[in-house]
């Protein structure tokens, strides 16, 4: 085969002239190769050897391959031979680019203009002055709308009158019906395969980001993405629309017939995966540092209005933020929900549909949609369709909870729920009864989607992987945010909440890390919200509080002397479990469910940067009587007075009302790692114990416990149902303290989460591209690759 011979000659230190076409053509002239062949024929060691020993040959090869793509884009690829050359150049560049990126000396190569290389000494016109990267990106964009190569030709004609690629309006060649395009072209698997190869090259171009270490400076935008998503790319709009529509229109079932995927190979799926990955990478944009895309209600007419609002320069982000038609939102939401639910479908109709593997990319896409387009977020929450997103997310969270290689998936699922929980409508929607019976490894219950959420969160906290501890704050913040709207919790969910309080309020847990008491504050806030705002209808929770009243009394009488603190910590040594699993009354798991499994040994995973603490991740808003929210001033401006050692109270403390305490540094310490650095003191315990919001619950117990005890004595009752009936008809009107204002902690964009998303997203893309393994064994810097 030509290529293998030429690679060896190519390593020779002898530079080969750029004009020696006979030599260079053997790289792309082969007829039947696939991208896998190119990876096999061009080993990593060879590429590195050329890079070190014959740099001019590598430079010429890259230049010539780009030149071939540019020529193909110019000519419109009308012959089979031209198409073959374009595809082979694509494959070769996909193979070589990661080795260019891993070497800092080469990284700027594609952004330089190549002086006189292969231009045969002709005059330097302006076009030639383009950096190689720009020529490459523009050629790929043109080729993605090339009639009879990647899109259906609109003319039935011979080669002579074929469409001129420069005069076609690519908006008429959008790949799939959906947002802003009504016509669904005839599926053509050859076109799908060609698009997939070009998108693979595009993704490889964008992957330069993997070779730079994570930095908090979000201004270092990816130059490849920046140029490709700029006005320089005349296909930006039709390409954005094509990628979005191809993903959202995909139905893995195969034309509605179960088991159909077993009958024919699905050429669309690789394209959909590639499209989803390219889409999320182009949308990697830190909205916290920029003026966020403005969305006002005035646009009419087209899918994305033609007037230019002062949005971001990244046109993909701009277009995404300006989608506004209801039918477009419906199309996107239905598509994402259908694909996210696909793995669940597998559980009760095994093999009925092709099981998709790109749910993590879909979750990132859904996050971007909600983050950049507030109208989409409100649309999602306007109907109970949001539950079609919630249930799959809870399924993934529950399924991945014990698997350390899926910690990233756990985070993005929780982040999405945190974002949704900042809106009142989400809490209201959770009251819908849960009837879908997806087999999940959780206790059987009858109730609402709120019950499902609480039961899954309890499962994550009590039996998840220890690396999930940083997420506990987030999980409980979500429960706090929805709690004022929960009309009726089931007995199973009520018991779970009390079991969490019981576990978090043991002395050893409270005293063993500086921020553990926050979890108790969050849970007390949940109980207070439900008692104050949803007392009627929540007799199950009230009953559970009465049954476990000793937990509240113990908290109120928490010892603060140093001897008792030491004794509390001694207890911890005997109980190494982070949270006791006892008296959690788990009962039988749902039929057909499998327990959450840990990662298989040897599984690859990528490292993630730390996420900001809950105080950085959210800002507090107060809900007023009419349901509107106003942001509360953060207390960050205050600094500790000179000479006072900062106490361990942080401004992430879950209570409202006092702006007096200074902002403190908040260290994320698990109970294990904290022993050497920090010891609890009496003053520290007293500083937060005095703020425990116990008044409402104590008043409730004071009023109801004697009444319940009297009924039991009078009627000789031991039966729960009678007591519950009494509690259902009871009232505490006028007996409780004045209701506190509802506090919501809304997610706020920040550069910490932007960086987290970047490392997570590229880690997913790295691990998912194994055939061919585009980035394996190259020196990536954005994350580490680890084996479980």
């Amino acid at each position: 085969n030509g290529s293998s011979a030429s690679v060896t000659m190519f390593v020779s230190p002898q530079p080969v002239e750029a004009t020696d076409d006979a030599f260079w053509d053997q790289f792309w002239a082969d007829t039947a190769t696939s991208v896998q062949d190119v990876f096999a024929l061009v080993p990593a060691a060879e590429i590195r050897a050329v890079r070190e020993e014959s740099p001019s040959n590598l430079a010429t090869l890259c230049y010539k391959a780009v030149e071939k793509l540019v020529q193909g884009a110019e000519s419109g690829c009308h012959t089979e031979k031209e198409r073959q050359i374009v595809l082979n150049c694509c494959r070769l560049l996909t193979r070589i680019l990661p080795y260019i990126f891993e070497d800092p000396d080469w990284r700027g190569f594609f952004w330089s203009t190549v002086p006189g290389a292969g231009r045969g000494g002709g005059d330097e016109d302006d076009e030639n002055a383009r950096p190689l990267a720009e020529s490459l990106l523009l050629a790929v964009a043109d080729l993605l709308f090339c009639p009879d190569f990647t899109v259906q030709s609109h003319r039935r004609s011979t080669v002579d009158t074929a469409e001129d690629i420069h005069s076609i309006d690519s908006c008429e060649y959008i790949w799939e019906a959906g947002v802003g395009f009504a016509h669904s072209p005839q599926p053509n698997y050859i076109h799908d395969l060609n698009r997939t190869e070009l998108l693979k090259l595009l993704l490889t171009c964008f992957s330069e980001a993997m070779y730079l270490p994570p930095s908090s400076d979000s201004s270092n935008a990816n130059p490849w993405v920046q140029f490709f998503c700029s006005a320089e790319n005349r296909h930006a709009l039709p390409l954005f629309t094509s990628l979005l529509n191809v993903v959202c229109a995909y139905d893995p079932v195969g034309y509605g017939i179960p088991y159909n995927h077993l009958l024919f190979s699905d050429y669309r799926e690789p394209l959909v995966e590639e499209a989803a990955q390219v889409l999320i990478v182009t949308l990697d944009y830190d909205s916290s540092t920029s003026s966020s895309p403005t969305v006002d209600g005035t646009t009419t007419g087209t899918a994305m209005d033609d007037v230019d609002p002062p949005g971001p320069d990244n046109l993909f982000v701009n277009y995404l933020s300006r989608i506004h038609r209801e039918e477009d939102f419906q199309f996107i939401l239905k598509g994402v929900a259908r694909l996210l639910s696909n793995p669940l479908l597998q559980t009760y109709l095994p093999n009925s549909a092709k099981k998709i593997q790109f749910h993590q990319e879909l979750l990132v896409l859904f996050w971007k949609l909600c983050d950049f387009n507030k109208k989409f977020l409100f649309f999602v929450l306007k109907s109970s369709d949001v539950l079609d997103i919630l249930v799959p997310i809870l399924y993934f969270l529950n399924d991945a909870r014990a698997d350390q290689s899926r910690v990233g998936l756990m985070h993005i699922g929780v982040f999405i729920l945190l974002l949704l929980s900042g809106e009142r409508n989400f809490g209201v929607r959770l009251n819908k009864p849960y009837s879908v019976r997806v087999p999940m490894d959780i206790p059987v219950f009858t109730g609402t989607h709120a019950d499902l959420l609480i039961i899954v969160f309890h499962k994550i906290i009590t039996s998840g992987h220890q690396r999930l501890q940083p997420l506990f704050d987030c999980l409980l913040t979500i429960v706090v945010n929805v709690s004022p709207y929960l009309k009726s919790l089931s007995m199973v969910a009520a018991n779970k909440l009390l079991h969490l309080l019981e576990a978090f309020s043991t002395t050893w847990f409270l005293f063993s890390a500086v921020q553990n008491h926050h979890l108790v504050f969050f849970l007390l806030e949940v109980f207070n919200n439900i008692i104050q705002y949803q007392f009627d209808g929540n007799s199950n929770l009230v009953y559970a509080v009465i049954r476990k009243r000793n937990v509240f009394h113990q908290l109120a009488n928490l010892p603060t002397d140093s001897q008792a603190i030491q004794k509390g910590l001694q207890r911890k040594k005997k109980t190494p479990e982070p949270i006791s699993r006892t008296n959690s009354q788990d009962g039988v798991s749902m039929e057909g469910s499998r327990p959450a499994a840990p990662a298989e040994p040897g599984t690859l995973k990528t490292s993630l940067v730390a996420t900001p603490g809950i105080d950085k991740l959210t800002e507090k808003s107060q809900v007023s009587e009419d349901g509107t929210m106003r942001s509360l001033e953060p207390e960050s401006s205050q600094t500790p007075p000179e000479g006072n050692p900062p106490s361990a109270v942080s401004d992430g403390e879950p209570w409202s009302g006092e702006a007096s305490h200074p902002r403190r540094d908040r260290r994320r310490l698990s109970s294990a790692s904290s022993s050497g650095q920090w010891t609890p003191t009496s003053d520290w315990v007293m500083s937060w114990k005095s703020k425990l919001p116990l008044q409402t619950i104590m008043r409730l117990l004071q009023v109801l416990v004697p009444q319940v005890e009297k009924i039991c004595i009078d009627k000789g009752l031991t039966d729960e149902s009678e007591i519950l009936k009494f509690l259902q008809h009871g009232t505490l009107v006028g007996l409780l303290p004045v209701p506190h204002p509802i506090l919501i902690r809304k997610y706020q964009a920040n550069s910490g989460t932007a960086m987290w998303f970047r490392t997570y997203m590229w880690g997913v893309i790295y691990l998912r591209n194994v055939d061919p393994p585009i980035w394996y064994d190259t020196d990536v810097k954005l994350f580490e690759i680890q084996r479980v």
Side-chain angles (χ1 to χ4, degrees):
N1 186 318
S3 287
S4 45
S6 54
V7 168
T8 331
M9 293 150 51
F10 170 61
V11 185
S12 76
Q14 244 16 71
V16 181
E17 282 303 313
T19 46
D20 183 354
D21 287 339
F23 175 79
W24 296 110
D25 284 351
Q26 49 188 341
F27 280 96
W28 28 83
D30 292 331
T31 40
T33 49
S34 66
V35 65
Q36 284 80 3
D37 294 342
V38 172
F39 271 67
L41 285 168
V42 186
E46 300 273 359
I47 304 172
R48 288 190 176 115
V50 179
R51 190 181 69 196
E52 305 310 321
E53 291 153 39
S54 343
S56 73
N57 285 356
L58 183 59
T60 308
L61 180 68
C62 292
Y63 173 74
K64 298 294 281 187
V66 173
E67 187 180 53
K68 286 290 174 201
L69 290 181
V70 172
Q71 286 167 4
E74 292 285 327
S75 71
C77 284
H78 297 306
T79 66
E80 193 47 53
K81 181 166 190 260
E82 284 179 285
R83 291 175 200 156
Q84 201 52 55
I85 288 175
V86 161
L87 289 173
N88 281 339
C89 289
C90 246
R91 294 159 183 160
L92 198 60
L93 285 166
T94 301
R95 180 59 170 143
I96 290 172
L97 273 166
Y99 298 91
I100 300 269
F101 294 151
E102 74 174 359
D103 184 335
D105 297 337
W106 275 84
R107 215 167 282 148
F109 168 71
F110 270 85
W111 293 98
S112 57
T113 48
V114 184
R119 295 196 183 115
D123 57 308
E124 301 282 298
D125 60 38
D126 288 345
E127 196 45 38
N128 285 343
R130 267 201 186 284
L132 207 50
E134 295 186 5
S135 305
L136 169 57
L137 291 170
L138 293 177
V140 171
D142 277 339
L143 288 164
L144 285 167
F145 292 98
C146 183
D148 292 324
F149 179 52
T150 50
V151 291
Q152 214 72 51
S153 172
H154 289 187
R155 293 198 191 160
R156 310 187 180 288
S157 59
T158 58
V159 175
D160 318 321
T161 57
E163 289 125 305
D164 168 19
I165 193 160
H166 292 285
S167 64
I168 71 168
D169 174 6
S170 45
C171 284
E172 293 171 14
Y173 291 85
I174 288 170
W175 302 348
E176 186 56 78
V179 176
F181 193 67
H183 167 65
S184 188
Q186 199 51 42
N188 179 318
Y189 82 91
I190 300 288
H191 294 173
D192 277 0
L193 292 174
N194 294 342
R195 291 164 177 171
T196 304
E197 298 235 31
L198 286 158
L199 290 178
K200 212 181 267 310
L201 172 57
L202 201 50
L203 194 60
T204 309
C205 291
F206 295 160
S207 72
E208 184 182 326
M210 282 198 218
Y211 297 89
L212 302 169
S215 79
S216 52
D217 175 21
S218 47
S219 61
N220 51 6
N222 183 328
W224 296 83
V225 171
Q226 215 168 6
F227 179 79
F228 190 78
C229 298
S230 73
E232 297 267 354
N233 178 0
R234 71 188 183 98
H235 303 292
L237 177 59
L239 189 58
F240 167 76
T241 313
S242 294
L243 295 172
L244 184 63
N245 291 354
V246 157
V247 172
C248 295
Y250 179 55
D251 185 353
V253 174
Y255 309 113
I257 310 161
Y259 304 99
N260 202 16
H261 71 101
L262 301 172
L263 307 179
F264 63 93
S265 181
D266 178 0
Y267 291 97
R268 194 35 66 111
E269 190 185 19
L271 174 65
V272 176
E273 290 211 354
E274 215 65 57
Q277 292 179 357
V278 168
L279 199 50
I280 60 177
V281 169
T282 54
L283 296 169
D284 176 21
Y285 179 80
D286 182 356
S287 56
S288 67
T289 56
S290 58
S291 57
S292 166
T294 51
V295 182
D296 62 352
T298 55
T299 48
T300 51
T302 55
M304 281 149 289
D305 227 35
D306 296 326
V307 288
D308 279 355
D313 302 331
N314 178 326
L315 291 178
F316 280 40
V317 174
N318 204 330
Y319 297 143
L320 185 80
S321 69
R322 283 161 49 194
I323 299 172
H324 64 274
R325 292 193 307 196
E326 295 259 312
E327 57 270 38
D328 290 339
F329 287 158
Q330 189 59 32
F331 164 74
I332 294 171
L333 181 57
K334 278 272 179 279
V336 173
R338 175 177 59 250
L339 291 169
L340 285 178
S341 308
N342 162 278
L344 285 60
L345 207 69
Q346 299 297 320
T347 56
Y348 47 91
L349 283 174
N351 303 325
S352 60
K354 189 168 177 158
K355 185 162 185 178
I356 62 157
Q357 301 295 334
F358 55 97
H359 48 275
Q360 300 194 83
E361 292 93 321
L362 286 164
L363 290 171
V364 175
L365 178 60
F366 183 76
W367 169 269
K368 299 279 179 199
L369 280 156
C370 293
D371 196 22
F372 295 153
N373 190 325
K374 285 298 169 253
K375 283 189 179 169
F376 177 74
L377 176 63
F378 299 143
F379 177 84
V380 169
L381 293 165
K382 205 170 73 176
S383 73
S384 53
D385 288 350
V386 65
L387 303 175
D388 298 335
I389 301 283
L390 170 74
V391 172
I393 288 179
L394 291 175
Y395 172 85
F396 293 130
L397 291 178
N398 189 57
D399 188 56
R401 67 179 192 265
D403 182 342
Q404 56 165 305
S405 71
R406 293 200 282 167
V407 168
L409 168 62
M410 299 292 296
H411 276 76
I412 184 154
V414 172
F415 283 159
I416 290 172
L417 298 183
L418 179 65
L419 181 69
L420 295 174
S421 75
E423 307 298 331
R424 171 183 179 273
N425 262 355
F426 182 64
V428 174
R429 299 285 159 234
L430 290 179
N431 290 310
K432 190 177 176 180
Y434 176 67
S435 50
V436 202
R437 286 286 168 246
V438 179
M440 283 166 79
D441 172 30
I442 53 171
V444 182
F445 71 98
T446 306
T448 65
H449 285 75
D451 294 308
L452 176 68
L453 178 132
I454 287 168
I455 291 166
V456 168
F457 283 10
H458 173 270
K459 205 68 165 164
I460 295 168
I461 291 171
T462 57
S463 66
H465 194 269
Q466 68 210 38
R467 295 209 173 169
L468 300 179
Q469 214 169 330
L471 277 178
F472 291 1
D473 278 352
C474 264
L475 291 168
L476 294 186
T477 297
I478 294 164
V479 181
V480 173
N481 282 349
V482 301
S483 59
Y485 311 110
L486 304 183
K487 293 195 178 324
S488 160
L489 286 183
S490 69
M491 191 58 94
V492 177
N495 284 332
K496 296 294 174 214
L497 286 175
L498 278 137
H499 175 246
L500 288 178
L501 182 70
E502 207 172 359
F504 289 149
S505 57
T506 60
T507 47
W508 77 258
F509 186 77
L510 283 175
F511 297 158
S512 62
V514 66
Q515 80 291 347
N516 283 355
H517 62 280
H518 294 184
L519 300 171
V520 169
F521 277 83
F522 283 133
L523 284 164
L524 291 176
E525 205 174 328
V526 171
F527 297 136
N528 287 339
N529 281 342
I530 294 178
I531 292 165
Q532 288 280 18
Y533 291 97
Q534 298 290 349
F535 179 81
D536 302 340
N538 268 304
S539 49
N540 287 330
L541 183 75
V542 173
Y543 178 66
V545 167
I546 291 174
R547 276 191 48 225
K548 292 280 181 192
R549 56 190 178 275
N550 63 321
V551 179
F552 299 97
H553 291 303
Q554 277 165 4
L555 267 175
N557 300 315
L558 190 72
T560 55
D561 58 291
S562 43
Q563 212 176 349
I565 294 174
Q566 282 317 306
K567 203 169 143 192
L569 288 170
Q570 290 311 309
R571 223 172 282 174
K572 164 186 162 193
K573 298 197 172 73
K574 301 186 196 105
T575 339
E577 276 293 326
I579 281 172
S580 77
R581 311 242 156 94
T582 49
N583 33 2
S584 142
Q585 307 130 333
D586 245 13
V588 188
S589 272
M590 294 175 67
E591 201 179 335
S593 66
R594 291 192 311 276
E600 292 287 319
T603 307
L604 286 179
K605 65 189 181 88
T606 53
S607 62
L608 291 162
V609 292
T611 50
I614 196 74
D615 45 337
K616 302 277 186 302
L617 208 54
T618 55
E619 60 177 8
K620 294 180 190 165
S621 297
Q622 196 169 306
V623 182
S624 44
E625 308 268 312
D626 60 358
T628 54
M629 290 196 194
R630 62 183 185 87
S631 180
L632 295 178
E633 283 303 301
E635 298 135 21
S636 54
S637 52
Q638 291 153 340
T639 50
E642 287 301 306
N644 282 10
S647 72
V649 180
S650 91
D651 68 350
E653 223 70 304
W655 55 75
S656 62
E658 47 15 86
S660 57
H661 59 77
R663 182 178 186 130
R664 307 298 188 197
D665 87 323
R666 163 127 185 236
R667 294 188 299 260
R668 278 223 152 271
L669 303 169
S670 73
S671 44
S673 66
S674 59
S675 51
Q677 302 150 350
W678 170 85
T679 46
T681 63
S682 291
D683 289 350
W684 171 76
V685 177
M686 287 187 319
S687 72
W688 54 261
K689 179 189 166 181
S690 59
K691 301 188 179 100
L692 285 167
L694 287 164
Q695 304 80 338
T696 302
I697 294 167
M698 288 310 189
R699 184 76 186 120
L700 171 137
L701 292 173
Q702 197 184 349
V703 174
L704 291 179
V705 171
Q707 296 182 0
V708 170
E709 284 177 339
K710 185 171 186 314
I711 294 175
C712 294
I713 295 162
D714 290 356
K715 304 196 174 172
L717 282 185
T718 47
D719 180 20
E720 280 187 6
S721 60
E722 283 292 326
I723 300 169
L724 284 167
K725 204 175 292 174
F726 162 73
L727 291 173
Q728 268 158 15
H729 299 108
T731 175
L732 292 174
V733 175
L735 297 170
L736 291 178
V738 179
H740 53 282
I742 295 174
L743 262 195
I744 301 290
R745 292 176 186 77
K746 289 174 80 98
Y747 167 80
Q748 56 171 355
N750 60 76
S751 46
T753 38
M755 197 63 231
W756 184 90
F757 271 98
R758 183 173 304 164
T759 52
Y760 170 60
M761 169 184 78
W762 278 114
V764 169
I765 291 171
Y766 177 98
L767 292 172
R768 301 257 298 103
N769 283 275
V770 285
D771 186 25
I774 302 180
W775 300 283
Y776 272 50
D777 293 329
T778 60
D779 189 14
V780 297
K781 294 277 195 291
L782 185 61
F783 45 75
E784 289 170 32
I785 294 90
Q786 300 156 339
R787 271 190 197 280
V788 171

